[in-house]
Amino acid sequence: MSKQKQDQEFLLLGFCAFSWVSLYLFCLFNTLFFFETCPTCLEPQNLTAVSEFLLLGLSDDPELEPILFGLFLSMYLVTLLGNLLIILAVSSDSHLHTPMYFFLSNLSLADIGFSTTTIPKMLVNIQTHSKSITYAGCLTQVSFFILFACLDDLLLAVMAYDRFVAICHPLNYSVIMNSCLCGLLVLMSFFGSLLDSQIHCLMVSQLTFCTNVKIHHFFCDAPQLFQLACSDISIHTILMYFMGAIFAGVPLSGILFSYTRIVSSILKVPSTGGKYKAFSTCSSHLLVVCLFYGTALGVYLSSAVSHSPRKGAVTSVMYALVVPMLNPFIYSLWNRDVKRALQRLLNRTFCSTFF
């Protein structure tokens, strides 16, 4: 492939990434504007009698609040810094202008949005000693939390497909994973996540709430709101499980299928060095998949067994903040190309600052 054609494809990749960010900012602006200017549209007087909810958080002990504030602020800043460094490294280094790192930068962008949806509100509540969140703000959290959680899920499936093509069809990799397909996969992931989040938001907006407005969590979660509803939620529950089967079960099945084929192809490699090299290209992604699904599954299994809302809130910290914080470290520590790109980026920043 000629250098001019490569430049054209990377330009198209950049355009697709720009389109993704523009669409996200457009939806974010319109959602916030809609919630701010038209609360009655999302809060019909004949459906709900509450104007705000109470987020009980992780602890009722006032002495623990400064510790929790410092801990979560530090973790949130590390999450922002780590994922921003990944995005900057991929965008600034021409050696990383490949589909795998294009998907990685989009995953980092989704992780930033995933953490930003919940943690800043919790930090503000701790700092102001307030537990309230408005009805519109709660719907906003539900919408964007599901948007970024689903986007993480779909992007991990797309990255698994990328690794499947790279290992099982290496000679046709550049033809199959062209810039148009990469951009299309990211845009489809975004629009699928947006559809899932808006369906959940619509379901929550149709619930009837009475006097119990205490949420045993540090953010508004759709299952928590279903438990507070006074109206019949049987149809909502069926629809929620149906959507979960589509937007969680199908990507997970795709990931398992991809890695089944990947392992089968790696076992056919005659040399030990070849097997190690093939496995090393997908080890980081496999670890991230295990962390994401392992923590999410652990949260819902523990909440089903323990029946303790506070324990469920504590374990939710794992996939809401810890996993997005660890992802950049996993990819940078296990990937020589990312480490070299980060080193070059930091060296250029240091030289331009002090010389």
Side-chain angles (χ1 to χ4, degrees):
M1 184 182 296
S2 64
K3 188 177 185 302
Q4 183 179 5
K5 188 173 181 181
Q6 283 184 336
D7 293 339
Q8 290 176 351
E9 290 200 349
F10 290 139
L11 183 62
L12 185 55
L13 276 175
F15 174 76
C16 293
F18 176 78
S19 302
W20 187 96
V21 176
S22 300
L23 285 169
Y24 160 63
L25 293 176
F26 174 79
C27 295
L28 175 63
F29 173 79
N30 280 279
T31 305
L32 293 177
F33 179 80
F34 178 74
F35 285 161
E36 190 69 23
T37 59
C38 187
T40 56
C41 298
L42 294 173
E43 188 183 353
Q45 295 301 318
N46 60 341
L47 288 179
T48 181
V50 300
S51 59
E52 65 179 17
F53 295 95
L54 297 178
L55 296 174
L56 300 185
L58 300 175
S59 176
D60 295 326
D61 189 355
E63 295 181 357
L64 287 178
E65 289 188 349
I67 300 175
L68 291 176
F69 181 84
L71 176 63
F72 283 100
L73 178 61
S74 302
M75 295 174 68
Y76 178 63
L77 293 177
V78 170
T79 301
L80 290 182
L81 179 61
N83 285 287
L84 283 175
L85 284 176
I86 292 292
I87 295 172
L88 291 174
V90 172
S91 60
S92 63
D93 196 314
S94 59
H95 297 90
L96 301 184
H97 291 175
T98 61
M100 180 177 69
Y101 297 111
F102 172 66
F103 297 137
L104 175 59
S105 61
N106 280 278
L107 181 67
S108 295
L109 189 62
D111 283 338
I112 291 175
F114 192 39
S115 300
T116 304
T117 302
T118 58
I119 303 304
K121 177 59 180 175
M122 182 183 68
L123 295 176
V124 169
N125 283 0
I126 293 176
Q127 187 67 20
T128 59
H129 304 287
S130 171
K131 297 181 180 296
S132 64
I133 183 172
T134 63
Y135 182 84
C138 193
L139 285 181
T140 304
Q141 274 200 339
V142 170
S143 178
F144 282 100
F145 181 81
I146 294 175
L147 170 66
F148 290 116
C150 184
L151 186 58
D152 263 6
D153 187 22
L154 294 176
L155 285 176
L156 287 174
V158 169
M159 295 173 74
Y161 174 71
D162 172 73
R163 292 299 84 204
F164 160 72
V165 175
I167 294 176
C168 299
H169 304 282
L171 299 179
N172 297 323
Y173 177 76
S174 59
V175 177
I176 298 175
M177 299 303 296
N178 57 73
S179 57
C180 292
L181 179 62
C182 293
L184 182 62
L185 288 174
V186 172
L187 289 177
M188 288 177 60
S189 299
F190 175 77
F191 282 117
S193 304
L194 185 62
L195 175 63
D196 186 26
S197 69
Q198 293 309 302
I199 290 176
H200 277 82
C201 187
L202 180 62
M203 287 192 297
V204 172
S205 67
Q206 298 301 312
L207 297 176
T208 301
F209 298 101
C210 301
T211 56
N212 184 15
V213 294
K214 295 181 180 179
I215 301 176
H216 296 272
H217 220 298
F218 62 93
F219 65 92
C220 287
D221 196 14
Q224 295 283 333
L225 294 175
F226 286 159
Q227 294 177 8
L228 298 180
C230 299
S231 56
D232 182 24
I233 62 169
S234 56
I235 297 179
H236 296 78
T237 304
I238 294 173
L239 185 57
M240 182 179 68
Y241 282 113
F242 176 74
M243 298 299 294
I246 294 177
F247 289 99
V250 173
L252 180 59
S253 300
I255 292 172
L256 293 176
F257 173 78
S258 297
Y259 274 102
T260 301
R261 298 292 301 274
I262 287 172
V263 171
S264 176
S265 298
I266 291 177
L267 292 177
K268 295 177 182 179
V269 177
S271 64
T272 305
K275 291 180 180 179
Y276 175 79
K277 184 178 180 180
F279 179 76
S280 63
T281 61
C282 58
S283 57
S284 300
H285 175 260
L286 184 59
L287 181 57
V288 170
V289 168
C290 293
L291 277 174
F292 182 81
Y293 283 101
T295 53
L297 186 63
V299 166
Y300 287 104
L301 286 179
S302 63
S303 61
V305 173
S306 67
H307 301 287
S308 174
R310 186 56 56 82
K311 289 183 179 179
V314 173
T315 52
S316 296
V317 176
M318 288 297 297
Y319 72 88
L321 183 59
V322 175
V323 173
M325 182 184 67
L326 291 179
N327 285 353
F329 293 98
I330 293 173
Y331 278 104
S332 62
L333 292 177
W334 287 37
N335 192 300
R336 293 180 181 178
D337 294 332
V338 175
K339 284 193 291 186
R340 290 169 184 165
L342 287 174
Q343 188 175 9
R344 285 192 289 265
L345 176 65
L346 294 176
N347 289 338
R348 286 198 302 268
T349 304
F350 177 81
C351 293
S352 61
T353 302
F354 294 99
F355 297 100

